[in-house]
């Protein structure tokens, strides 16, 4: 059965980065469903080099998933 191009990409950049890097290494990968994320709060907490340009998803120049995490920014948004 072919790979299903679904992941928890709308939950965090970490989930998306991990799955996108698996996808680009799979020779039988076809298409990814992408649910855009990036609220003001999440963009303060996470930094990443992933983008959509002309309908194509780009994972950046790193050979591995790279997502920065700012613990001080995250502390502003405690879990309830």
């Amino acid at each position: 059965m072919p790979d299903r191009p679904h992941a928890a990409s709308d939950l965090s950049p970490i989930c998306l980065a991990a799955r996108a890097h698996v996808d680009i290494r799979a020779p039988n990968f076809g298409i990814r469903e992408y649910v855009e994320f990036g609220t003001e709060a999440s963009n303060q907490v996470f930094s990443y080099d992933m983008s959509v340009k002309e309908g194509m998803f780009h994972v950046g120049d790193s050979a591995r998933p790279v997502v920065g995490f700012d613990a001080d920014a995250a502390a502003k948004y405690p879990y309830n």
Side-chain angles (χ1 to χ4, degrees):
M1 179 175 280
D3 180 32
R4 300 285 186 240
H6 291 80
S9 59
D10 58 332
L11 296 180
S12 82
I14 295 170
C15 296
L16 178 59
R19 186 56 196 226
H21 276 266
V22 169
D23 294 345
I24 64 172
R25 296 297 299 158
N28 64 339
F29 178 73
I31 190 168
R32 159 150 298 284
E33 178 182 51
Y34 173 65
V35 178
E36 189 170 352
F37 58 85
T39 65
E40 182 179 333
S42 69
N43 287 335
Q44 290 176 15
V45 175
F46 299 103
S47 60
Y48 48 89
D49 186 20
M50 296 178 286
S51 61
V52 176
K53 298 174 188 165
E54 298 180 8
M56 301 293 289
F57 191 81
H58 297 268
V59 296
D61 294 329
S62 177
R64 65 184 193 281
V66 176
V67 177
F69 178 77
D70 184 332
D72 293 330
K76 297 176 191 175
Y77 306 99
Y79 179 77
N80 295 323

